[in-house]
Amino acid sequence: DRIFTVSVLLPDKPGELVNVASVIAEAQGNVIRLDHNQFVSINRNSAAELTITLEAYGPEHKEQILNALREAGYEPNVVASKAMYQ
């Protein structure tokens, strides 16, 4: 569970990417890959999907990162885990 991919929807407005990155950095998560998709919705101004591949110290740290995202108002959805990358 050290490497996992999480998806979050965020308002498509300036500063949201920095906000998510700050939450992850404060939780000591290591971003490996980032994909920002503004075309996830027909209404481009409503939301963007951010897919982030992260490295954590282990399962407890992974949960800490996910909880930090939840506490910041995001709804993280784990879409892949380490097994997908082997």
Side-chain angles (χ1 to χ4, degrees):
D1 273 346
R2 288 192 57 197
I3 298 174
F4 63 102
T5 300
V6 63
S7 172
V8 294
L9 290 178
L10 51 133
D12 190 19
K13 63 181 185 180
E16 286 298 319
L17 181 58
V18 171
N19 290 339
V20 172
S22 294
V23 170
I24 293 169
E26 288 174 18
Q28 300 295 307
N30 182 31
V31 175
I32 296 172
R33 181 181 172 158
L34 184 83
D35 181 36
H36 184 255
N37 181 1
Q38 293 178 311
F39 299 104
V40 70
S41 172
I42 294 172
N43 181 359
R44 229 186 105 204
N45 295 321
S46 68
E49 179 183 38
L50 190 60
T51 305
I52 314 156
T53 300
L54 298 157
E55 182 177 22
Y57 299 124
E60 296 85 16
H61 186 222
K62 173 183 172 181
E63 285 305 314
Q64 289 174 354
I65 296 168
L66 294 172
N67 286 333
L69 288 166
R70 288 182 192 105
E71 289 172 8
Y74 301 102
E75 295 181 25
N77 178 34
V78 177
V79 294
S81 64
K82 181 179 171 184
M84 299 289 291
Y85 300 103
Q86 293 179 344

